[in-house]
Amino acid sequence: MLKIDDVSKVFDGARAVDRVDLDVNEGEFVTLLGPSGCGKSTLLRMIAGFEVPSSGRILMRGKDMSRDPAYQREIGMVFQNLALFPHMNVYDNVAFGLRARKRTDDLDRRVREMISMVGLEGFESRRTGQISGGQRQRVALARSLVTAPDVLLLDEPLSALDLKLRRQLQVELKRIQRETGITFIFVTHDQEEALSMSDRIAVMTAGKVDQYGSAVDIYHKPQTEFVARFVGETNFLSGSVCSVTSEQTELDLDGTDIRLSVATTSAARRQGERMSVSIRPEHVLLGARGEYSVPARVVSHSFSGATITYALDSAAGPLLAQVPFQPGRGHPLLPGETVSAGWPNDAITLIPA
Ligand SMILES: Nc1ncnc2c1ncn2[C@@H]1O[C@H](COP(=O)(O)OP(=O)(O)OP(=O)(O)O)[C@@H](O)[C@H]1O
C-alpha cells in the first residue's frame, strides 16, 4: 500500500534519512524504532508531507505522492504534543477534521462512535484542559481516526504518559488499530513498546534501516550488532568460523574449547571470518545444562521480581544470565560462587563481527 523507495533527506549537508526502503501493507501496524536523532520523525514527516525528500519516492497504492502537499494525502497524524484545541470541548475537537473537510452528513454518529471507541463517553462537553493526559491522548487519537485516513502516523504519542497508563494505552491502541483496520506507522524509541504492538518493526540507526521484520524476528534473529543490542539485552561472545557448508557453520568460541555448530545463515561467509555470537540472557542456563556450557563465576546479581539476573565472568567472556526466581527453591547464587553456564543450540545467533 505504501512504498518508501530509496528515500533520503539531507539537512545542511548531513543525511538525516539515508536511502531508506520500506513497504507497508494495508492494515499493518509498522513501527519505526531507533535512538534519538536516528531520523524516525524526519521519515514520518516526509510520509505526512511536511518535508520533501531530497531524493527517492514515496508511493501510495502505486502513485508517487512525494511532492503532493500534506492536505492532499489521506494521511492522519498524531503528534507527541497532541496539538489539541484547548478552547474546544472533546466533541468539537473530534469533529474538527470532518467539519474542515465539509463531511458533515452523518457527522454526529461518526464523532460519537469514535468517542466511544476511545472510551471517552460522558466527556463530550469537557474542554481538553479539564481532562487528564491519558484522556487527551485518546481525544487526539479519535480526532485523527474520525476522518478514516488510509494511514495514521503516530510520533511517540505515548511518551509523555507514566508507565502504567502507557502500557494500558498500548493495548488499547492495538485494539483500535485492529478494529478500524487503518494502517498505523508508529514511531518510538521504546523497544518494549515496539515489540508488544507491531506487526513489523523497522530498526533505524544513523538515518538507515538496519533491519525490517516481525517483532519475533527482530528479537530472536537480529541481523546486526546494533539491532541485537538495541532491542532487548544480549550477551556477545566472539569466535572464528572454522568451517562453513551450505547447511552447517562451525565456529570456535574464543577462550574455550567449544566448537559451536549452527545452521548456516547469510551471516557466515568464509572460513577464518570473525563472528559475534548473540545469546539472550534468558537463554543462559545455570548448572550443567544446555548443549554448550562454560565454567563461570558469579560477579553480582540483581532481583527484579519474577527473575534474577546474574552477571557472570566466564571463560568465553562476561555473561548475563536471567533466570526465573522461585521463592522457597534455594537461595540466589552469591558473588564469588562458581557455576556452569550453558545454553541450547537454538539460542545462538551469529552476527558478522
Ligand atoms: N529541520 C531540520 N533542520 C536541520 N536538521 C534537522 C531538521 N530536522 C531534523 N534534523 C536533524 O536530522 C536528524 C534526525 O532527526 P529526527 O528528528 O528525524 O530524529 P528522531 O529519530 O525522530 O529523534 P527523536 O527520537 O529525538 O525525536 C537529527 O540529527 C536532527 O538534528
Side-chain angles (χ1 to χ4, degrees):
M1 172 197 209
L2 182 71
K3 188 176 177 65
I4 315 286
D5 179 19
D6 200 16
V7 164
S8 296
K9 180 70 187 181
V10 180
F11 290 117
D12 310 324
R15 277 177 184 262
V17 172
D18 193 4
R19 307 202 62 174
V20 165
D21 290 308
L22 278 183
D23 276 301
V24 179
N25 296 322
E26 184 119 38
E28 204 172 10
F29 194 126
V30 166
T31 295
L32 309 178
L33 171 70
S36 182
C38 72
K40 308 178 295 289
S41 300
T42 304
L43 183 55
L44 208 66
R45 291 172 60 78
M46 288 192 281
I47 299 171
F50 302 136
E51 299 279 1
V52 178
S54 307
S55 61
R57 299 182 308 159
I58 299 174
L59 301 123
M60 178 83 102
R61 299 201 172 92
K63 181 183 164 289
D64 187 356
M65 60 164 191
S66 321
R67 273 137 195 99
D68 293 352
Y71 67 86
Q72 277 178 10
R73 307 183 187 196
E74 287 300 316
I75 292 183
M77 186 143 177
V78 179
F79 298 93
Q80 185 179 339
N81 60 10
L82 305 182
L84 295 175
F85 303 112
H87 57 284
M88 286 187 196
N89 64 24
V90 167
Y91 184 99
D92 290 333
N93 263 281
V94 175
F96 182 82
L98 291 175
R99 287 181 179 140
R101 288 174 176 74
K102 310 228 174 338
R103 280 159 49 183
T104 45
D105 51 309
D106 217 16
L107 177 136
D108 187 58
R109 186 188 60 79
R110 293 174 66 174
V111 170
R112 290 188 189 281
E113 194 177 277
M114 258 325 133
I115 288 177
S116 148
M117 178 168 287
V118 300
L120 281 180
E121 290 126 316
F123 289 88
E124 289 83 352
S125 53
R126 290 262 197 110
R127 294 203 175 186
T128 57
Q130 300 168 328
I131 56 178
S132 73
Q135 289 162 343
R136 276 200 287 276
Q137 201 59 58
R138 292 162 201 263
V139 176
L141 191 62
R143 190 181 62 169
S144 307
L145 286 170
V146 77
T147 57
D150 286 338
V151 179
L152 186 65
L153 308 176
L154 303 104
D155 195 355
E156 307 234 15
L158 307 181
S159 62
L161 306 175
D162 69 52
L163 190 67
K164 203 163 169 208
L165 188 55
R166 194 171 174 151
R167 295 280 174 261
Q168 185 190 338
L169 277 177
Q170 285 167 5
V171 174
E172 288 195 34
L173 207 57
K174 183 76 197 155
R175 170 186 62 81
I176 290 166
Q177 191 265 337
R178 250 194 327 263
E179 283 176 12
T180 57
I182 292 174
T183 307
F184 274 31
I185 303 181
F186 186 89
V187 161
T188 184
H189 59 264
D190 177 343
Q191 39 110 3
E192 266 187 66
E193 186 160 282
L195 290 174
S196 68
M197 299 172 81
S198 321
D199 295 317
R200 282 195 291 175
I201 301 172
V203 184
M204 293 184 68
T205 173
K208 287 183 181 296
V209 172
D210 242 33
Q211 188 171 349
Y212 185 37
S214 70
V216 171
D217 272 1
I218 294 283
Y219 189 81
H220 289 289
K221 294 185 193 138
Q223 283 166 5
T224 67
E225 209 165 311
F226 176 80
V227 173
R229 284 191 197 281
F230 192 73
V231 183
E233 274 204 278
T234 197
N235 292 298
F236 273 114
L237 306 178
S238 49
S240 303
V241 175
C242 60
S243 77
V244 51
T245 67
S246 56
E247 265 119 57
Q248 212 65 22
T249 300
E250 304 216 316
L251 184 103
D252 286 331
L253 197 60
D254 292 355
T256 70
D257 53 10
I258 291 177
R259 181 161 286 183
L260 301 172
S261 183
V262 296
T264 295
T265 63
S266 57
R269 286 169 296 257
R270 60 189 156 70
Q271 203 182 339
E273 184 168 5
R274 298 288 296 158
M275 302 291 288
S276 295
V277 179
S278 164
I279 304 169
R280 297 285 182 194
E282 66 271 27
H283 294 145
V284 175
L285 309 164
L286 301 183
R289 293 156 63 210
E291 277 135 309
Y292 303 102
S293 65
V294 289
R297 195 176 54 83
V298 176
V299 177
S300 64
H301 66 237
S302 69
F303 173 66
S304 62
T307 60
I308 292 189
T309 302
Y310 292 102
L312 307 168
D313 210 0
S314 85
L319 276 178
L320 292 175
Q322 188 185 47
V323 298
F325 178 70
Q326 291 158 320
R329 292 272 192 90
H331 66 85
L333 294 167
L334 297 173
E337 284 192 59
T338 53
V339 63
S340 144
W343 58 89
N345 197 33
D346 57 9
I348 304 165
T349 307
L350 295 187
I351 296 172

